[in-house]
Every structure is written in C-alpha cells, then in structure tokens.
Amino acid sequence: QVQLVESGGGLVQAGGSLKLSCAASGNIFSIYSLAWFRQAPGKEREFVALTAWSGDDTYYAESVRGRFTASADNVKNTGYLQMNSLAPDDTAVYYCATGRALLPSRDYYDYWGQGTQVTVSS
C-alpha cells in the first residue's frame, strides 16, 4: 500500500505559478512512476504529466507541455508538479497517483492522492 497526501493548491492569477506536492508513505519501494491528472467540473479526468520516480524520464499532455514540470525527490519521498504560465483553463482538481508503469493511463496507477483544488483567476 502507498499513501499519498497532496498539498499546494490554491488561487492564483492568470500568468502566475503554483507548485503542487505529493508526499508518499508506505511501500515506497513499489513506486515506479508518479503521474498527475486533473478534473474540471463536468469533464472527464484527464492526464497531465508523469515522471519516473527515480529517473529523469517525463511525459506531458500537449496542453501543458512547456509550462508544467513533473519531478520526484527520493530523499523526501515527494513528487512535485511545477505549474507556470497558468491560465483559467487550468482550473481543476489535481490528483497525483503512483504506479508500476510509465504510461499516461489511469489504469496503470493504483494509489491516488486526495486531490487539491487549483483555481486560476482572470
């Protein structure tokens, strides 16, 4: 089992930045990848970004590529999502998840954070 606690969400102005954190505990050795998803009201949960837990491999959705950066700190057992140049369309609940594959699909991620609200004002 892996437990994930998210933090860092909040209200930010358009063009601003925000950094989300995802603290992991439990069976850390089972974590291969950390992914981020988001869900806006009335919409499907969509993939945002992923990173290898102990490597440099990353993958991003086209909508956030060049603006968001996913990373993992193995010393702190924490993953991060740095979000820059935020726009109102980025407003959503953001979820982190850990899995055993480096793939942008919900089916490969077994453990999820509680979600954190990100609201971008204009």
Side-chain angles (χ1 to χ4, degrees):
Q1 289 287 120
V2 175
Q3 295 80 45
L4 302 174
V5 178
E6 299 182 46
S7 62
L11 176 65
V12 65
Q13 296 178 339
S17 299
L18 206 60
K19 189 174 185 177
L20 306 183
S21 298
C22 180
S25 61
N27 188 11
I28 303 300
F29 298 104
S30 69
I31 301 176
Y32 177 74
S33 60
L34 175 71
W36 295 86
F37 297 80
R38 67 186 182 186
Q39 187 168 22
K43 296 184 178 180
E44 298 287 336
R45 188 172 299 185
E46 65 175 352
F47 168 78
V48 176
L50 64 82
T51 181
W53 186 249
S54 58
D56 297 325
D57 293 336
T58 56
Y59 181 75
Y60 301 93
E62 184 179 357
S63 60
V64 306
R65 190 170 295 136
R67 299 188 297 122
F68 291 10
T69 302
S71 62
D73 186 333
N74 297 123
V75 175
K76 298 180 179 180
N77 291 328
T78 301
Y80 302 96
L81 183 67
Q82 177 66 50
M83 304 183 293
N84 299 324
S85 300
L86 285 164
D89 284 348
D90 295 314
T91 295
V93 177
Y94 284 70
Y95 300 88
C96 64
T98 59
R100 298 182 294 274
L102 202 68
L103 296 168
S105 173
R106 293 172 58 188
D107 294 338
Y108 295 92
Y109 297 89
D110 298 321
Y111 304 103
W112 294 77
Q114 81 280 10
T116 184
Q117 176 71 48
V118 172
T119 302
V120 184
S121 63
S122 61

